[in-house]
Amino acid sequence: MSIIEGMIQTTMQAAALDRFGGVEAIALHTVPVPKVGPEDVLIRVESAGVGVWDAEEREGKYAWMFGTEPVFPYVLGWDGAGTVAAVGTQVSRFKLGDRVYAASIPKLRGGFYAELAVVHADHVGSIPAGLSMEQASVMPWDALTALAGLDDTLGLMAGETVMIFGASGGIGHLAVILAKRMGARVLAVASGVDGVALVQRLGADAAINGRTNDVFAAARAFAPDGLDAALLTAGGDVANRALDAVRDGGRVAYPNGVTPKPVARSGLHLVNYDARRDPAATAKLHQLIDAGPFEVHVAGSYPLARAADAHRALSTHFLGKLALRVG
């Protein structure tokens, strides 16, 4: 291994797949520790995020992404946090023992459902003050996706009105905080009474239950001249109807992967996008996080051996994110 410090074991425990399929495909395996390249950071994982996209990957929907064949055992997990176990020869920003989190792509070199995970240093960040290891582990992709939607795609400005649809989910609840930090007035459309309570606590200017309330009417009451922008983290008829409350010329963004894909009337600028995970995006995220208390909501945590139960929970009603306890 091309490492300048850190002696590590050669094998590790991981919740991995020996085939694509249902939750029964996830099991504990003993697998090799991933190799550390010169620009890599090896993280001793303490906690991993469990995302809705993990279930899609488990089923094989990303199997041939990046033009490479899947290799089994296949270690899941796009988000995680822990301490630095080793660094590559060209890495100077991190040292042994640093508390870090990272956004990974499991298809390439294995994910965070494991005792150790390797990530390029550009995709690793120091855990912001005030966040627990568990909170940091579930945050990376969701926070970066929310930020890319609000900042890069919508170009949200202070004083503008924005509707966040799916506001009590992983991306949505972080988008509420970030939009407020950017100076916007936020209408949060959440799921359930508990979802409304969460987004109210996070600082939304107005919050409604998308399951029972007339979202269009609520949006019109919130912004009589029309909303300036909308970020959709969920799709469907209710979301499409709500977009009628966005003013002509208004902007609408949704992350790739939202299904069904949103449909907007003519006169709106509808854009789909992907998250960025480069150092500049991470620096902007940290600037917003450091501006005040930042709550990353973890609805439940499961030991690594119960990763299958965490995946079962993905199909139930929960707020924020789920986590796996690894270390």
Side-chain angles (χ1 to χ4, degrees):
M1 289 189 231
S2 302
I3 58 177
I4 60 173
E5 56 181 345
M7 298 299 293
I8 49 88
Q9 70 256 29
T10 58
T11 62
M12 62 181 183
Q13 289 290 294
L17 310 174
D18 52 20
R19 67 189 188 285
F20 293 120
V23 294
E24 71 283 349
I26 307 174
L28 283 180
H29 290 260
T30 299
V31 300
V33 171
K35 294 182 179 180
V36 182
E39 298 180 331
D40 293 336
V41 175
L42 185 69
I43 300 171
R44 189 169 298 282
V45 182
E46 293 190 21
S47 182
V50 180
V52 293
W53 50 82
D54 289 351
E56 296 178 347
E57 186 167 26
R58 186 198 71 225
E59 294 168 353
K61 292 183 180 179
Y62 305 151
W64 287 271
M65 186 183 291
F66 309 110
T68 59
E69 292 285 335
V71 177
F72 297 96
Y74 189 110
V75 181
L76 297 167
W78 292 62
D79 301 298
T83 56
V84 173
V87 296
T89 54
Q90 297 180 25
V91 177
S92 59
R93 288 195 301 124
F94 302 103
K95 64 182 186 303
L96 277 179
D98 282 352
R99 298 173 75 250
V100 296
Y101 73 99
S104 179
I105 297 179
K107 178 66 172 65
L108 300 180
R109 294 188 288 175
F112 277 99
Y113 289 17
E115 292 178 315
L116 292 153
V118 67
V119 185
H120 192 284
D122 282 352
H123 307 146
V124 180
S126 298
I127 296 177
L131 290 188
S132 69
M133 188 74 74
E134 183 178 70
Q135 288 176 314
S137 76
V138 305
M139 179 187 73
W141 277 110
D142 289 274
L144 291 168
T145 300
L147 179 61
L150 295 169
D151 192 28
D152 300 335
T153 310
L154 291 175
L156 192 64
M157 303 292 289
E160 289 192 309
T161 54
V162 61
M163 175 177 64
I164 298 173
F165 193 95
S168 52
I171 298 170
H173 84 290
L174 300 178
V176 169
I177 306 174
L178 294 173
K180 288 301 300 176
R181 297 272 161 96
M182 296 168 71
R185 293 184 61 240
V186 176
L187 169 65
V189 183
S191 177
V193 174
D194 54 347
V196 170
L198 172 63
V199 296
Q200 287 175 330
R201 187 170 77 243
L202 297 178
D205 295 282
I208 58 171
N209 184 350
R211 293 180 171 183
T212 59
N213 294 112
D214 185 334
V215 179
F216 173 78
R220 275 302 193 191
F222 180 74
D225 295 328
L227 294 158
D228 295 306
L231 177 66
L232 305 183
T233 69
D237 291 340
V238 176
N240 293 338
R241 169 64 174 155
L243 292 182
D244 287 338
V246 179
R247 63 173 174 78
D248 287 340
R251 299 101 66 201
V252 181
Y254 68 95
N256 284 313
V258 169
T259 55
K261 292 182 178 180
V263 178
R265 73 177 194 280
S266 61
L268 298 183
H269 185 55
L270 177 66
V271 180
N272 57 317
Y273 72 94
D274 290 311
R276 291 170 47 203
R277 58 182 184 130
D278 54 83
T282 300
K284 179 62 179 290
L285 176 64
H286 283 200
Q287 181 183 23
L288 293 169
I289 289 175
D290 292 342
F294 194 86
E295 178 181 347
V296 181
H297 186 78
V298 181
S301 181
Y302 299 78
L304 185 64
R306 291 181 55 203
D309 288 336
H311 274 233
R312 291 184 181 96
L314 287 172
S315 61
T316 67
H317 172 74
F318 65 93
L319 307 180
K321 289 295 296 286
L322 302 172
L324 287 180
R325 300 189 300 276
V326 181

